[in-house]
Amino acid sequence: MRISIILPSFIKCLSRNKIIRNVLIVSSGTAGAQIISLLASPIITRLYTPESIGMLGSFMAIVAILLPIAALSYPIAIVLPKSHGDAIKVANNSLRIAIFFTIALTVMILLFQEKLINLIGMEGSSTLFIALSLPLAILINTLLAICTQWAIRHKLFVINAQAVVAQSLTLNGTKILFGLLALPLGKVLIVLTILGSLLQSIVLLLLMKLKKKEELKLPLNASFDSTLIKQYREFPFYRSPQGLLANLNQNIPVILLASLFGAASVGFYALCRTVLQLPVTLIAKSVNDVIYPQINQTSINNKPISTLIIRGTLWLSILGLAPLLLFIVVGPDLFSLVFGDTWQKAGEISQWLSVWFYFNFINRACVAAIPVLRLERFLLLNSLLNFILSSLGFYIGYNIFDNDVYAVAMYSLFGIIPQIIIISFVIFSAKKHDKQLLDYKESTGSSV
């Protein structure tokens, strides 16, 4: 059969697949945002120094590490309740917990001023700036997580995509503007990034309000419901510590690079990670946002879920190969050409870090299935293993080579082991789940 006949049939088949269609919708918005960022990056890297970008990288690393414990990961549970009212209560529980956390964090920053500033490599910043900006960033990002999960619950993938594009366009535009106004400072980048997250939250809420549907309203009053806290207690007990460990593992190189090699090394690493995150953000996150509620709904309907997970993993494995090979072969030259000669070292880092990102890319379908399969405890233990191995890799690289590139290289290679474990164990658990479901159906005489 000729390709001219096969290809249109294949495209038509894809368009009829609801999951793939939703992934494409989410990806289109994320793609627009990432294209904007990609086009803006060569300008931004020529306006801002590695030290300024490194300062933003250090700040956002701390935000990412603290974010999973700010609301104890309850925003992720917004998708799960069958009742609309219970979902609203979960959202408000999340907001109230985050408010208490940010108040406590502000007090801690004021008590441990110099130690914290030195730890995150921001010696040029005032305590007052950190005390105001860090808790504010965490609170706003928690609000964004709540709004995003609410939109995902109602399958408002188009609205999510629109909000992401609006945020990216505004954020990158203002970065360039302030850089041209001779204000290429790390503090400026931090403030603009915080405002960008706030804008994305506001856009999400406004777009949902324009739908004029009662079930889309999300009244946020920070009320508290202890019953739902207990019902979804696996999130603070397992998912929150796991998220803390996972983000600590992803961002520990930033902390170590800042303390051992300086802000410039953080800047190189931050740019490298931003570029490598493009396929993860573009496709893998979209897959996660779409397939998570799909797997959950399939499980609620007592249908097998392993096929969804395996197919998603296989497709991501194929899609991720081309970017992986590109960065391994021509990483340094590519970064020098696109971002300027100053950023060649970021390309050297990309040759190693791309391997870690590839495995983090292809495990998205498996990670999405973890809440449905109730594997939060396994994910916590795996994250602990991940943190130990990755930190050990960085330590070995630093002590043997005393070089920032090779320290990141060893961190990356050691870090792929837990990713392989996640993929293997989740698929095994999904197949076990399906077999138990099949046995139950057969014993009761009903069809799967």
Side-chain angles (χ1 to χ4, degrees), residues 25-75:
I25 291 172
V26 178
S27 297
S28 64
T30 311
Q34 293 304 321
I35 289 170
I36 292 168
S37 296
L38 186 61
L39 293 175
S41 292
I43 303 173
I44 292 172
T45 53
R46 287 170 171 83
L47 293 173
Y48 295 86
T49 64
E51 287 79 8
S52 295
I53 294 177
M55 184 176 177
L56 173 64
S58 297
F59 180 85
M60 295 310 297
I62 297 297
V63 172
I65 289 170
L66 296 177
L67 201 56
I69 59 174
L72 301 178
S73 294
Y74 276 112

Side-chain angles (χ1 to χ4, degrees), residues 150-427:
W150 186 259
I152 291 172
R153 173 182 174 84
H154 295 284
K155 297 182 173 59
L156 299 175
F157 304 113
V158 173
I159 285 178
N160 252 339
Q162 291 170 341
V164 170
V165 171
Q167 186 265 0
S168 181
L169 183 62
T170 305
L171 177 59
N172 286 286
T174 51
K175 282 182 179 180
I176 293 173
L177 176 62
F178 277 87
L180 292 172
L181 293 174
L183 289 171
L185 306 173
K187 288 182 180 180
V188 171
L189 291 175
I190 289 171
V191 172
L192 293 177
T193 302
I194 294 172
L195 293 177
S197 297
L198 179 60
L199 172 67
Q200 188 175 346
S201 303
I202 294 172
V203 170
L204 269 173
L205 291 171
L206 288 176
L207 289 175
M208 286 189 286
K209 187 176 181 180
L210 289 174
K211 288 284 185 179
K212 295 182 180 180
K213 293 183 179 179
E214 190 66 28
E215 66 271 16
L216 298 183
K217 290 183 179 179
L218 179 57
L220 292 173
N221 52 28
S223 59
F224 199 72
D225 189 304
S226 59
T227 303
L228 287 170
I229 290 291
K230 295 176 182 177
Q231 183 176 345
Y232 296 103
R233 60 183 177 274
E234 67 268 19
F235 285 89
F237 285 154
Y238 297 120
R239 192 60 179 254
S240 191
Q242 178 276 325
L244 173 64
L245 284 170
N247 287 345
L248 186 61
N249 175 62
Q250 289 187 29
N251 292 284
I252 196 66
V254 174
I255 306 300
L256 294 175
L257 286 170
S259 60
L260 297 174
F261 298 102
S265 289
V266 177
F268 294 129
Y269 178 84
L271 177 64
C272 171
R273 188 172 66 174
T274 299
V275 173
L276 291 175
Q277 278 178 333
L278 286 175
V280 177
T281 306
L282 175 60
I283 299 174
K285 185 181 182 300
S286 304
V287 170
N288 182 82
D289 290 349
V290 172
I291 206 171
Y292 173 34
Q294 181 68 28
I295 292 174
N296 183 56
Q297 189 60 49
T298 303
S299 178
I300 290 173
N301 294 337
N302 291 324
K303 294 181 180 179
I305 62 174
S306 61
T307 303
L308 284 172
I309 300 168
I310 294 172
R311 285 180 180 174
T313 303
L314 288 175
W315 275 109
L316 290 172
S317 300
I318 296 170
L319 289 171
L321 276 177
L324 172 67
L325 295 175
L326 176 67
F327 287 113
I328 289 177
V329 176
V330 296
D333 294 333
L334 184 64
F335 272 75
S336 296
L337 175 66
V338 176
F339 304 107
D341 294 336
T342 308
W343 298 92
Q344 182 176 357
K345 181 177 276 192
E348 295 173 8
I349 294 174
S350 75
Q351 291 178 299
W352 298 99
L353 197 60
S354 58
V355 179
W356 184 88
F357 267 96
Y358 175 74
F359 283 92
N360 191 46
F361 175 81
I362 68 176
N363 75 2
R364 292 296 91 191
C366 293
V367 172
I370 284 175
V372 180
L373 292 168
R374 301 286 177 159
L375 297 177
E376 309 295 345
R377 183 179 180 184
F378 156 74
L379 190 60
L380 174 59
L381 294 174
N382 186 268
S383 296
L384 180 60
L385 175 65
N386 198 354
F387 174 71
I388 293 171
L389 289 176
S390 299
S391 300
L392 178 63
F394 194 100
Y395 176 80
I396 292 173
Y398 170 70
N399 277 276
I400 293 178
F401 302 104
D402 192 21
N403 179 281
D404 50 357
V405 174
Y406 288 110
V408 174
M410 297 301 292
Y411 156 85
S412 177
L413 294 177
F414 275 62
I416 68 174
I417 298 172
Q419 308 298 337
I420 295 172
I421 293 174
I422 283 180
I423 295 170
S424 304
F425 188 76
V426 169
I427 291 176

